[in-house]
Amino acid sequence: MNTPSRLRFQGRPASGASSSPKPLQRPNEEISPLLALTLKSLLPASYSFEIPKTLSLIRRLNAKRVGLQLPEGLLMFACTISDILSSFGAVECVVLGDVTYGACCIDDYTAIELGVDLLVHYGHSCLVPMDQVGIPTMYVFVEIQVNETHLLNTIKHNFPKALEVELEEKGDASVEIAIEVGGSAGDQLEDERPIRLATVSTVQFLNAVQLLADNFPESKPKRGAKNTISGPIALTPGSSSPSPVDASDSLALTRLKSSRKLEIVVPQIRPLSPGEILGCTSPSLSTYNVDGILYIGDGRFHLESIMLANPTLPAFRYDPYSKKLTREFYDHPAMQNIRKEAMVQAKRQLDSEKEWAVVLGTLGRQGNRRVLESISSHITSVSTNAPRVIPLLMSELSPIKASLLPSISTFIQTSCPRLSIDWGYAFPKPLLSPYEAGLVLGKLDGREIDGKQQMDFYADDGWGEWTPRFGMGRKKTKAISQSSNR
């Protein structure tokens, strides 16, 4: 049986446990010449694995066994890091080899069973705070340095015109006019609204987001400057200066000098850092008044998250590895039709007395018991003929595993909404996310089953009880308010 691939909703190809310990402070330490030489020889200089801080923490804790957990993109460095820590820290290193999709997969439970004294989790931010995990834990973001000159020049040469073209095609922008030297039209420049670009990334490239925020907005063009067309232009890989390219090789990015300035907007959805997004958690940009999205990073998984949260905004991606800027597309109608069909099919079975499975993810801390109990309670209270709820505990749910349970008419998985969005079409029965289950069960007043998605899964202020952190933001706000009134 062939395993189906993840369905990419792309409109058209884009170019080119125990008691909780106190939070641990990471002490700084001078690097010995031998360690510095080892790091330079064995690990890429642009990746920050924070080896000296890790060694210092090992000594402070007097740790004897260290657990290393890395996502698949960094797993190639696991053995090297293990050798370095073992040699310089006199510890035994254990690599947790199960797949790690995100920060929700931090596996302190397994680490405790393995007798680990310190767990080092690489590649993700502190979604599960250090004072809530069962053992001393160190998060290493693995910040990756980018070619700053190339990134800045790429943005300067392609924006804001790339977004102005998008607005003109939608009819949201005024017609471009040439401003002659000494012309009165130059006075209009002061009144033109800046083009605002929401810039986001994963935790590895937040330094690049900050770089753009520090360098924009730029000053407005001089009065009397004349707009000219210099032809299709983009930055080629490995270059820090613009070079002409064939228009068929680049989506856009016609070089037309603009009379409007560019503003970089860094949005935030707590508890994430400003500019940070997850594959399941991205900010809605309706309150930011932006014209487009710029994602810095490779791949599309995280980019698609903010595109799902803001389906009407044009999106661009700057890949720090290939050094290409591309216009990205997502076929929202196709995805929404598929998800709507799955929800309608599940809704027809509400009064059928069939079996529904509510799946609790066991991959690290991915599952949330409160979400499972909430959904199960809503299902059983639908009617006297409500489906029978069967809890399922699985680290990973696949179409093959689902086919081994023919009596189940509907699956509701609580691990990650993207599993349903990206893979739901491949399952033999409806595979709903917690949010979609809320729609089917009629628990979201005023919302229709239209296939549109909610990307607030790990947000503090997520407004639905299908989210693991539901109410956390409101509780914090209330506590702060009460404290200020004392």
Side-chain angles (χ1 to χ4, degrees):
M1 181 176 179
N2 295 328
T3 302
S5 60
R6 180 173 81 89
L7 184 57
R8 295 183 63 185
F9 297 99
Q10 215 167 333
R12 58 185 186 272
S15 65
S18 59
S19 59
S20 300
K22 295 181 179 180
L24 297 171
Q25 301 296 326
R26 301 182 191 176
N28 293 319
E29 183 178 85
E30 292 185 5
I31 304 176
S32 68
L34 181 57
L35 177 58
L37 180 61
T38 302
L39 297 179
K40 182 178 180 180
S41 303
L42 300 181
L43 293 175
S46 59
Y47 286 57
S48 177
F49 288 101
E50 300 190 20
I51 299 297
K53 293 181 181 179
T54 308
L55 289 170
S56 179
L57 189 55
I58 288 172
R59 286 190 284 269
R60 186 166 73 87
L61 295 174
N62 195 26
K64 303 301 181 184
R65 180 175 294 173
V66 176
L68 307 179
Q69 188 178 22
L70 303 91
E72 291 188 338
L74 297 174
L75 200 58
M76 67 180 75
F77 302 109
C79 293
T80 302
I81 295 174
S82 175
D83 289 343
I84 295 174
L85 295 180
S86 298
S87 299
F88 289 87
V91 293
E92 176 189 4
C93 289
V94 178
V95 178
L96 280 64
D98 282 342
V99 62
T100 303
Y101 293 117
C104 57
C105 298
I106 183 169
D107 201 355
D108 56 315
Y109 298 137
T110 298
I112 291 172
E113 294 301 318
L114 292 173
V116 166
D117 304 310
L118 171 66
L119 175 61
V120 186
H121 183 93
Y122 295 88
H124 302 110
S125 57
C126 311
L127 190 61
V128 181
M130 290 184 290
D131 60 351
Q132 295 182 17
V133 292
I135 58 174
T137 301
M138 177 177 179
Y139 285 89
V140 178
F141 300 161
V142 191
E143 295 179 354
I144 302 174
Q145 298 300 315
V146 302
N147 186 320
E148 297 183 355
T149 302
H150 188 279
L151 172 60
L152 287 172
N153 284 345
T154 299
I155 302 306
K156 289 177 181 178
H157 279 282
N158 292 294
F159 293 101
K161 190 56 200 176
L163 277 174
E164 284 189 311
V165 171
E166 295 280 345
L167 296 175
E168 289 168 3
E169 290 177 351
K170 292 181 180 180
D172 295 335
S174 58
V175 178
E176 187 72 31
I177 61 173
I179 303 174
E180 301 292 343
V181 175
S184 60
D187 295 334
Q188 299 174 6
L189 291 178
E190 297 294 336
D191 299 326
E192 287 187 337
R193 185 180 69 83
I195 293 291
R196 293 166 59 84
L197 185 63
T199 306
V200 296
S201 183
T202 58
V203 70
Q204 284 80 27
F205 297 108
L206 286 183
N207 56 339
V209 174
Q210 188 61 49
L211 173 71
L212 293 181
D214 291 342
N215 283 271
F216 290 92
E218 298 178 85
S219 59
K220 294 182 179 180
K222 294 180 180 180
R223 291 174 179 255
K226 183 177 180 180
N227 292 338
T228 59
I229 300 177
S230 59
I233 207 163
L235 292 180
T236 56
S239 170
S240 60
S241 59
S243 59
V245 296
D246 187 345
S248 62
D249 294 333
S250 178
L251 273 175
L253 310 180
T254 299
R255 173 69 164 139
L256 180 61
K257 291 183 179 179
S258 174
S259 62
R260 302 167 73 177
K261 69 175 182 178
L262 175 68
E263 286 187 3
I264 296 296
V265 178
V266 182
Q268 182 179 17
I269 181 168
R270 296 183 183 276
L272 306 183
S273 300
E276 181 187 3
I277 59 174
L278 304 178
C280 62
T281 307
S282 287
S284 171
L285 301 175
S286 57
T287 60
Y288 286 90
N289 191 28
V290 297
D291 302 293
I293 300 166
L294 172 65
Y295 170 74
I296 302 175
D298 60 327
R300 279 179 53 95
F301 181 71
H302 295 86
L303 168 64
E304 288 174 358
S305 172
I306 196 165
M307 294 174 76
L308 286 166
N310 304 275
T312 62
L313 290 176
F316 300 82
R317 174 167 63 98
Y318 176 82
D319 189 329
Y321 299 107
S322 67
K323 295 185 175 65
K324 289 184 178 180
L325 175 68
T326 54
R327 171 71 164 92
E328 301 290 333
F329 301 89
Y330 191 98
D331 195 344
H332 294 279
M335 179 276 295
Q336 292 170 8
N337 288 335
I338 291 175
R339 300 315 306 149
K340 180 179 179 179
E341 181 180 349
M343 285 184 277
V344 170
Q345 183 179 347
K347 193 175 181 66
R348 295 196 196 103
Q349 303 167 358
L350 274 178
D351 298 323
S352 61
E353 295 185 334
K354 293 187 177 182
E355 296 176 339
W356 282 31
V358 183
V359 184
L360 180 70
T362 60
L363 198 61
R365 286 183 171 247
Q366 198 174 63
N368 185 282
R369 184 175 174 180
R370 181 184 59 78
V371 175
L372 179 141
E373 292 174 346
S374 174
I375 294 174
S376 300
S377 175
H378 287 320
I379 294 174
T380 55
S381 63
V382 167
S383 68
T384 55
N385 297 324
R388 186 163 69 95
V389 176
I390 298 180
L392 283 180
L393 274 67
M394 287 187 177
S395 59
E396 291 190 85
L397 179 62
S398 66
I400 295 178
K401 287 184 179 179
S403 65
L404 299 176
L405 302 167
S407 64
I408 304 297
S409 63
T410 297
F411 292 87
I412 301 175
Q413 57 83 22
T414 64
S415 299
C416 178
R418 293 296 295 277
L419 177 59
S420 298
I421 297 170
D422 297 343
W423 293 91
Y425 74 96
F427 282 73
K429 304 291 176 59
L431 177 69
L432 306 183
S433 67
Y435 170 70
E436 293 173 335
L439 288 173
V440 170
L441 297 170
K443 299 301 177 181
L444 305 180
D445 295 338
R447 292 220 168 186
E448 300 178 354
I449 298 179
D450 53 10
K452 295 180 180 179
Q453 299 296 319
Q454 198 66 22
M455 287 289 107
D456 62 347
F457 196 62
Y458 277 105
D460 280 350
D461 59 352
W463 59 271
E465 57 184 288
W466 62 84
T467 61
R469 301 174 66 90
F470 174 61
M472 288 189 176
R474 296 181 179 89
K475 290 178 182 178
K476 290 179 181 178
T477 302
K478 183 178 180 181
I480 293 173
S481 176
Q482 290 176 343
S483 176
S484 63
N485 291 331
R486 290 176 182 175

